[in-house]
Amino acid sequence: MCKILDGTFQPHQKIYTESELMKQFGVSRHTVRIAIGELVTQGWLYREQGAGTFCVDRTKEESTNVSNQKNIAIITTSISDYIFPSIIRGAESYLSQHGYHVSLFSTNNSHDSEQRALKKILLSSDGIIIEPTKSALFNINIIDYLNLERQNIPYLMINAFYDELDPLSITMDDEKGGYLQTEHLIELGHTNIIGFFKTDDIQGNKRMKGFLKAHREYGVTIDPHNIVTYNSEEKSTKPVEILREKFNIDGDLPTAIVCYNDELAIRLLDVIREKKLQVPDDISIVGFDDSFMASVTEVKLTTIQHPKSKMGEKAAKMILDIIKEVAGSHKKARDIGESIVIEPELIIRDSTKQMHK
């Protein structure tokens, strides 16, 4: 069945003979016949007397499914943490109002989990909203996305996208967001700014680019040691360890911190407290996403606003518009609509302050 899903066998294409399958998999003819029989029963294959065994055109079968249930799948890197519940609620609310059942999947930022989700929903969804996994890295699941396109199943990426696929997407202008974070601190007089960026996601790379751009445009020299990168597996440990090391070194301490997101900012606030430093009197800190975390601590975070539920709603509307336009036409889903880039906005609260002169 994997060779059917991955496109090795196209609809109505003849599969290997029993002898070829026996040789390929090292099994008996009896085992091959049982396996083929099961796939025929499940509707994946059909036999023609004297001609052989062929692949069923499941796309037509799915479109005339008697249940007629309309399904949209939402795949995110997380379902229950951080800003993801708000994004999902925005999408799910809109889709439910329009009669669609929503299936939720979490990859936990794992390519293997993403692949399992894609294979599971390949023939059961009218459209898919996807937050890509480790979007700055090569997409090992590219064949699964090409299979979606081959079957003309609309998919839309949110927060980030796989550049090699050039998909429809709804994203933040993350470079500008990183620029606004840094510009705000420079305008407050800070010149020794440390930035933390998660770089296995494309958002982190773009936010780092904005960080560098602001330094250049304002003529502020960048200490290379003040650019800290980490990956998803290191997010709970490496930034904390690096900041502790910074505070333990004699010399000029950073006076401000740019964070990849609010979640990281909250972690680093604990390190700042350990060192008996005060925010913003001793050190300023800026987050990203304007999550619920930004306002629940004693220090209200200056941060970049993320649309969250509105992004989810926009994604839901776009995917339904594409489905509607594709239905009954010869149009390709990927050729319909245009990607959306949302402008960031700086929310100034209590975690940043003018430098003492």
Side-chain angles (χ1 to χ4, degrees):
M1 192 172 84
C2 288
K3 289 187 178 294
I4 300 172
L5 286 175
D6 69 14
T8 300
F9 294 113
Q10 299 292 315
H12 307 299
Q13 180 180 345
K14 185 178 178 179
I15 69 165
Y16 302 131
T17 65
E18 288 183 359
S19 296
E20 288 170 331
L21 290 170
M22 289 167 59
K23 184 177 180 181
Q24 183 174 350
F25 294 104
V27 295
S28 68
R29 188 177 299 275
H30 176 68
T31 300
V32 168
R33 286 179 175 172
I34 290 175
I36 290 174
E38 288 181 357
L39 290 174
V40 169
T41 301
Q42 294 171 13
W44 291 96
L45 300 174
Y46 66 93
R47 293 188 176 104
E48 286 189 2
Q49 188 68 33
T53 306
F54 300 82
C55 285
V56 169
D57 187 348
R58 296 275 296 197
T59 56
K60 291 182 179 178
E61 186 174 309
E62 288 293 322
S63 67
T64 57
N65 192 303
V66 293
S67 71
N68 281 329
Q69 185 178 47
K70 299 186 293 183
N71 294 286
I72 297 293
I74 300 177
I75 304 175
T76 71
T77 55
S78 176
I79 288 177
S80 59
D81 295 335
Y82 198 48
I83 63 172
F84 305 108
S86 296
I87 296 172
I88 293 167
R89 277 196 300 272
E92 192 171 25
S93 174
Y94 187 90
L95 293 168
S96 298
Q97 290 171 22
H98 288 78
Y100 280 80
H101 171 74
V102 177
S103 301
L104 297 177
F105 298 86
S106 171
T107 67
N108 292 314
N109 230 14
S110 158
H111 281 127
D112 289 341
S113 296
E114 181 186 62
Q115 185 180 65
R116 285 194 294 271
L118 288 169
K119 288 190 181 301
K120 185 172 183 179
I121 65 182
L122 182 60
L123 293 173
S124 62
S125 294
D126 299 286
I128 307 170
I129 298 170
I130 305 165
E131 183 194 33
T133 290
K134 296 182 178 177
S135 52
L137 306 182
F138 174 71
N139 174 21
I140 64 171
N141 298 323
I142 190 169
I143 189 67
D144 298 289
Y145 287 101
L146 293 178
N147 280 333
L148 293 178
E149 294 178 13
R150 181 172 59 85
Q151 300 197 38
N152 211 24
I153 299 172
Y155 68 91
L156 170 70
M157 295 191 173
I158 57 172
N159 278 333
F161 56 86
Y162 294 123
D163 191 53
E164 59 268 33
L165 288 170
D166 193 25
L168 284 175
S169 62
I170 301 179
T171 59
M172 290 277 290
D173 186 339
D174 287 291
E175 179 183 335
K176 187 172 181 180
Y179 182 92
L180 291 176
Q181 286 177 296
T182 312
E183 179 186 52
H184 172 63
L185 294 171
I186 292 173
E187 288 180 340
L188 291 175
H190 295 277
T191 55
N192 190 354
I193 306 169
I194 184 169
F196 292 86
F197 306 99
K198 186 158 79 72
T199 52
D200 53 357
D201 290 331
I202 200 169
Q203 300 101 303
N205 287 313
K206 290 187 173 182
R207 292 170 194 180
M208 179 169 60
K209 186 176 179 181
F211 176 83
L212 296 172
K213 185 177 180 180
H215 278 82
R216 289 192 184 110
E217 289 194 1
Y218 280 85
V220 176
T221 302
I222 305 173
D223 180 347
H225 296 99
N226 278 355
I227 302 171
V228 180
T229 62
Y230 61 96
N231 60 37
S232 297
E233 288 72 31
E234 299 169 324
K235 70 176 186 178
S236 299
T237 55
K238 184 177 177 180
V240 168
E241 292 167 1
I242 294 293
L243 190 60
R244 282 195 180 120
E245 289 174 8
K246 282 280 184 183
F247 286 152
N248 289 333
I249 296 173
D250 292 332
D252 289 338
L253 296 179
T255 63
I257 304 173
V258 165
C259 296
Y260 169 75
N261 60 15
D262 295 341
E263 184 179 42
L264 175 62
I266 298 302
R267 285 198 184 98
L268 297 185
L269 282 175
D270 289 336
V271 180
I272 293 168
R273 291 188 195 97
E274 286 175 14
K275 297 302 176 181
K276 309 299 182 186
L277 298 173
Q278 299 295 318
V279 175
D281 293 336
D282 299 313
I283 191 164
S284 291
I285 187 167
V286 183
F288 202 115
D289 290 329
D290 194 23
S291 69
F292 71 95
M293 295 179 173
S295 54
V296 295
T297 64
E298 73 278 11
V299 178
K300 312 306 179 190
L301 282 178
T302 296
T303 185
I304 299 293
Q305 187 179 61
H306 188 291
K308 297 183 282 294
S309 62
K310 287 184 179 179
M311 175 180 277
E313 186 176 332
K314 281 178 182 287
K317 184 178 186 308
M318 182 184 289
I319 203 76
L320 294 194
D321 287 345
I322 296 169
I323 291 170
K324 184 177 179 180
E325 197 159 343
V326 166
S329 75
H330 297 291
K331 295 179 179 178
K332 291 294 183 182
R334 67 168 285 109
D335 297 328
I336 298 170
E338 294 183 358
S339 293
I340 296 172
V341 179
I342 298 169
E343 285 289 301
E345 180 184 346
L346 181 70
I347 307 297
I348 300 175
R349 296 197 179 97
D350 303 332
S351 66
T352 54
K353 183 179 180 181
Q354 188 80 34
M355 276 282 292
H356 296 297
K357 293 184 178 180

